[in-house]
Amino acid sequence: MNIGVIGSGAWGTALAIHFDRASHKVVLYSRDEAEASAIRNQGRNILLPDYSLPESIEVVALNDTVREHELLLIVTPTAGLRPVLENWIVPFANKTPVLAACKGFEQNTGLLPHQVLQEMLPQNDCVGLLSGPSFAQEVAQGLPCAVCLASHNVDWAESLSVKLNNNILRLYFNSDPIGVAVGAAVKNVMAIATGVADGIDYGMNARAALLTRGLAEMTRLSVALGGQEKTMMGLSGMGDLILTCTGSLSRNRQVGLKLAEGKSLSQILQELGHVAEGVNTVGEVVRMAEKYKVDMPITRVLFDLLQGKVNVNVAVERLMLREPTVE
């Protein structure tokens, strides 16, 4: 296939490398000419420095006209999805299949990535999500993983999954984009909370409790928004939650670990040098939980911690000293 990957962060670059390796023709769109030129000249992306970019991948600036492709993959932070659509995609993408590989709720609107696609591309019935437990470094390295391709258009999702599936990146088509998107968003919040608990040495019992109760929060919110409960038992629910909460490559988990060290949020984000979506997502998740009357105590406490209303020890104590309730 002829694939355009919009967004040259670590994940976009990793996907470009993977699909090129799988014999697809790939164009990688970078934010501006300076960034595109740096990637071309160095033959690699500083956000993914250990992996060379094959010469067969064309790297161009997004301020050029986006070309026609058989598939567009938008791999930006969730906040960048709408601007990309408004400025470069809408004129022709009503006839081009589009997948968003973003995780989170759009701030202010509360929309999930596929809902932004649907709003901006109302004539396009081939839109969906690419999501699941996957670290960019491992995909670039060629290590195997499995992800979801989720869309309301099941026939298209199944057909595309067949075209893109291989023995490195296994694709499962899914008809529940709401559940997939909620799992992808909220697991980042839970990863920060788990990082905090790990950082203050609360132990593996506490970690297991956080993952389990975190999954319950994810499921309650997903169902309230119209998702299917069974989706939370799959790749973009339990799978992504386990990876992001326990993996050493998780940026969101690193945020929690650094909070436990007493560092400020601004200092942490500067040190990371990457977007940690959970930081931007937690406030929107709290708002959605309040709107739909969903009980999400872990998310609520983490929000207060990131807002500076409580310190790390108080936050964890508030979670562990909650009154007993039915599971």
Side-chain angles (χ1 to χ4, degrees):
M1 293 185 72
N2 184 329
I3 301 173
V5 179
I6 298 179
S8 60
W11 185 222
T13 302
L15 286 172
I17 292 171
H18 166 76
F19 287 122
D20 175 86
R21 190 186 289 133
S23 300
H24 298 286
K25 178 177 173 56
V26 179
V27 176
L28 178 62
Y29 292 90
S30 196
R31 179 172 48 198
D32 52 43
E33 180 53 39
E35 190 173 85
S37 179
I39 294 173
R40 288 194 300 266
N41 293 338
Q42 296 171 20
R44 64 189 66 234
N45 189 331
I46 60 170
L47 298 177
L48 206 63
D50 296 332
Y51 305 98
S52 298
L53 205 70
E55 292 183 2
S56 49
I57 296 177
E58 188 177 0
V59 183
V60 300
L62 190 56
N63 53 21
D64 293 340
T65 301
V66 174
R67 306 168 194 177
E68 291 197 16
H69 297 278
E70 294 174 83
L71 174 67
L72 283 174
L73 267 171
I74 305 180
V75 196
T76 64
T78 301
L81 178 58
R82 187 179 294 271
V84 163
L85 289 166
E86 287 176 336
N87 294 320
W88 289 282
I89 307 304
V90 169
F92 66 86
N94 271 318
K95 63 180 181 180
T96 303
V98 181
L99 286 177
C102 316
K103 296 182 177 182
F105 289 87
E106 185 178 50
Q107 294 198 21
N108 299 319
T109 69
L111 293 177
L112 295 162
H114 72 284
Q115 294 169 333
V116 177
L117 292 181
Q118 291 168 340
E119 181 180 283
M120 298 296 294
L121 305 170
Q123 306 303 316
N124 192 339
D125 64 350
C126 293
V127 298
L129 302 172
L130 184 70
S131 185
S134 48
F135 285 142
Q137 293 91 327
E138 293 192 357
V139 170
Q141 189 178 344
L143 297 177
C145 74
V147 296
C148 295
L149 200 165
S151 174
H152 291 301
N153 186 339
V154 179
D155 290 340
W156 169 70
E158 181 178 5
S159 173
L160 186 58
S161 295
V162 171
K163 292 176 183 177
L164 298 180
N165 186 69
N166 63 21
N167 62 347
I168 298 297
L169 190 66
R170 181 166 177 80
L171 286 159
Y172 290 81
F173 59 92
N174 188 301
S175 61
D176 179 24
I178 290 176
V180 168
V182 171
V186 183
K187 59 89 183 181
N188 286 327
V189 175
M190 299 306 160
I192 299 176
T194 306
V196 170
D198 285 348
I200 60 175
D201 294 323
Y202 256 50
M204 288 182 282
N205 292 340
R207 180 197 290 177
L210 274 172
L211 263 68
T212 306
R213 300 314 305 159
L215 183 62
E217 290 193 18
M218 289 165 53
T219 302
R220 287 196 292 266
L221 182 61
S222 176
V223 170
L225 294 177
Q228 301 171 21
E229 186 172 350
K230 67 179 182 179
T231 302
M232 292 300 104
M233 299 299 107
L235 290 167
S236 196
M238 184 185 296
D240 214 353
L241 178 70
I242 292 171
L243 181 70
T244 311
C245 289
T246 64
S248 60
L249 296 175
S250 167
R251 294 194 293 268
N252 290 284
R253 183 171 184 273
Q254 287 296 321
V255 170
L257 290 170
K258 292 177 182 293
L259 284 169
E261 293 174 10
K263 294 182 177 179
S264 68
L265 184 58
S266 59
Q267 180 184 358
I268 292 168
L269 296 179
Q270 184 176 6
E271 289 178 1
L272 282 178
H274 292 261
V275 174
E277 284 282 13
V279 174
N280 297 325
T281 299
V282 63
E284 204 60 43
V285 175
V286 167
R287 191 177 73 82
M288 299 299 287
E290 291 174 347
K291 178 179 179 180
Y292 289 93
K293 296 180 172 53
V294 178
D295 186 29
M296 301 188 73
I298 299 173
T299 304
R300 179 77 248 184
V301 170
L302 182 66
F303 178 71
D304 288 345
L305 174 61
L306 293 177
Q307 292 291 306
K309 297 178 181 178
V310 297
N311 62 34
V312 167
N313 291 319
V314 170
V316 177
E317 285 178 7
R318 272 175 52 182
L319 286 176
M320 302 309 292
L321 293 178
R322 293 180 71 230
E323 291 186 7
T325 185
V326 66
E327 183 176 32

